[in-house]
Amino acid sequence: MQKRLTSLRVFLSLAFSLGVHSALNAQALAQAAPGAAAASISAPLRAAATQAPEPADEFQWLEDVMGERSLAWVREQNALSLPELRARPEYAPIRERVFGILSATDKIPYVFRIGPNLYNLWTDEKNKRGLLRRTTPDEYRKPQPAWETVLNIDALGAAEKENWVYKGINCHAPSYKRCLLSLSRGGADAVVIREFDLAAKAFVKDGFFIPEAKTQSDWLDDNTLVVGSDFGPGSMTKSGYARTTRLLKRGGSLAQAPEIWAGQEADVSAGVSVDESVSPPRQTAYRSVEFWTQEISIRTGDGPWQRLQTPGHAVVLIRGEWLFVQPRRDWTVGAVTYKSGSLLATKLAEFQRGEAKLLVLYAPTPS
């Protein structure tokens, strides 16, 4: 996205410069000889109208983002770029300073909560890939909390001869004992997902396992997952993300798992998440039609999907009986217009019936 924006800025800058240059040339010609100026300007226009169509984009093959030719090209460019960067005098001091910040021992141990405990991925010079560790809220309030290591990522990589990078953990409520642990090779987007026992601090023997892919997964119950992944030809979008989602039972195979949701090949991505704050758990499906445009549908059990009439440009979050909406553009509902960037809340059931009473939790100001 950033590369496209940069290219667009360069294009607009060049177009502006060429436009000014052409206008100045035309003005000079008109002052010298009006007839010559008209002929000079109109001749290229006539020629352009008769030119052959633009040739095919010679770099279109790079749009096959996971193709071996595209990946080989990227590796070649990296091999050219890295020596250039390392040769610059500022490279070494910047690298040393950044590494010092990342490996500092006095940094804040930011945490996330799983059940009753607080968890943190701690990295330092000794633990470059990190220690997944936990403590209690009371202990965390102390100047020097006592931490319990749950998983040593560096040791795991050494034992399995893999360059594992921790990419997140998703634990099944309300026990928060069984988790889906995501690991990537070298920090890639694609991950391997393995079932992990948080109490035993060990991987579950013959537990859930999802091979390396750009996967998104969630718990439906103790023995069922919703999985969006690479299931073979046609299962991924052109952007290289999951297009289809399947229902995976414990002991079953992904290849035989039934499909429960699908987007279009032209979508950025599509998938399903589960809200366990209600019973039975609610499934929320999305289609990212464009990068900033989504369609949201919900269902419970194996019932039909119901599309929510939220604006495509909005960020949508559903928790329990509540629907939260943050429009990215002004959104008019009835006689009221809610400003872009507002945070709105309403009862989900009322919204589905078309009787929504939108509560403004936050309204943006000029500052």
Side-chain angles (χ1 to χ4, degrees):
M1 176 64 72
Q2 185 61 41
K3 185 180 288 185
R4 290 181 179 177
L5 290 173
T6 302
S7 299
L8 180 59
R9 293 189 189 105
V10 173
F11 171 77
L12 291 174
S13 177
L14 287 171
F16 177 77
S17 300
L18 290 172
V20 171
H21 181 71
S22 299
L24 291 174
N25 283 346
Q27 185 180 24
L29 281 168
Q31 291 172 348
S40 175
I41 294 171
S42 60
L45 293 175
R46 287 196 302 271
T50 59
Q51 282 178 354
E54 288 290 326
D57 183 357
E58 60 179 314
F59 294 108
Q60 190 170 3
W61 54 271
L62 283 170
E63 295 182 13
D64 180 14
V65 294
M66 297 304 293
E68 182 52 39
R69 184 184 176 195
S70 298
L71 294 175
W73 183 87
V74 170
R75 287 191 288 267
E76 289 173 7
Q77 306 316 306
N78 288 344
L80 293 171
S81 301
L82 195 55
E84 292 281 348
L85 292 171
R86 286 174 171 165
R88 297 182 67 89
E90 64 268 29
Y91 176 86
I94 289 176
R95 184 181 186 278
E96 183 178 351
R97 181 169 179 268
V98 171
F99 183 77
I101 292 171
L102 293 175
S103 60
T105 58
D106 59 348
K107 61 190 173 186
I108 297 172
Y110 290 104
V111 293
F112 54 94
R113 186 161 192 152
I114 302 176
N117 295 317
L118 302 177
Y119 288 74
N120 162 256
L121 182 73
W122 179 260
T123 58
D124 55 29
E125 189 169 0
K126 181 180 177 182
N127 305 286
K128 293 181 173 59
R129 294 305 186 196
L131 299 173
L132 180 62
R133 57 187 193 168
R134 65 184 167 209
T135 191
T136 64
D138 288 340
E139 191 69 26
Y140 185 68
R141 294 185 180 97
K142 298 178 181 179
Q144 297 295 328
W147 292 94
E148 176 190 6
T149 297
V150 175
L151 182 64
N152 185 322
I153 308 299
D154 294 88
L156 176 68
E160 298 184 348
K161 295 181 173 55
E162 291 279 8
N163 184 17
W164 288 132
V165 174
Y166 170 84
K167 281 296 185 99
I169 192 167
N170 178 3
C171 300
H172 180 43
S175 67
Y176 298 103
K177 179 183 178 183
R178 294 294 179 91
C179 307
L180 300 174
L181 183 70
S182 297
L183 298 166
S184 83
R185 290 183 169 92
D189 287 345
V191 296
V192 174
I193 297 179
R194 298 156 67 176
E195 189 174 4
F196 189 82
D197 188 321
L198 209 53
K201 299 186 290 186
F203 290 102
V204 177
K205 184 179 179 181
D206 299 325
F208 282 116
F209 175 82
I210 303 172
E212 186 177 36
K214 292 180 182 178
T215 301
Q216 48 193 343
S217 59
D218 209 351
W219 293 91
L220 186 60
D221 58 45
D222 290 338
N223 299 303
T224 313
L225 305 179
V226 292
V227 179
S229 190
D230 185 353
F231 303 113
S235 66
M236 306 293 282
T237 67
K238 287 185 177 179
S239 299
Y241 293 93
R243 183 185 69 83
T244 63
T245 300
R246 298 186 181 190
L247 204 63
L248 178 62
K249 293 289 186 180
R250 185 177 296 279
S253 75
L254 275 175
Q256 301 300 320
E259 182 180 294
I260 60 170
W261 179 253
Q264 302 296 321
E265 191 177 4
D267 293 344
V268 176
S269 64
V272 176
S273 62
V274 180
D275 180 7
E276 297 179 292
S277 66
V278 293
S279 183
R282 180 191 300 113
Q283 301 166 55
T284 301
Y286 75 91
R287 283 183 59 214
S288 288
V289 182
E290 295 176 346
F291 196 83
W292 298 112
T293 304
Q294 284 194 341
E295 294 179 359
I296 306 295
S297 299
I298 61 173
R299 76 169 187 174
T300 55
D302 57 359
W305 292 102
Q306 297 178 333
R307 169 86 182 275
L308 289 182
Q309 297 305 312
T310 49
H313 55 77
V315 179
V316 177
L317 176 67
I318 304 171
R319 283 293 180 271
E321 61 180 344
W322 289 96
L323 168 69
F324 300 91
V325 182
Q326 185 180 34
R328 291 193 181 97
R329 297 198 293 268
D330 290 357
W331 181 31
T332 300
V333 181
V336 182
T337 296
Y338 300 96
K339 289 293 185 181
S340 169
S342 300
L343 180 59
L344 314 171
T346 185
K347 293 293 183 70
L348 176 62
E350 293 177 1
F351 186 85
Q352 289 179 284
R353 293 195 301 265
E355 304 168 359
K357 300 178 182 65
L358 291 169
L359 305 175
V360 180
L361 302 182
Y362 170 80
T365 65
S367 61

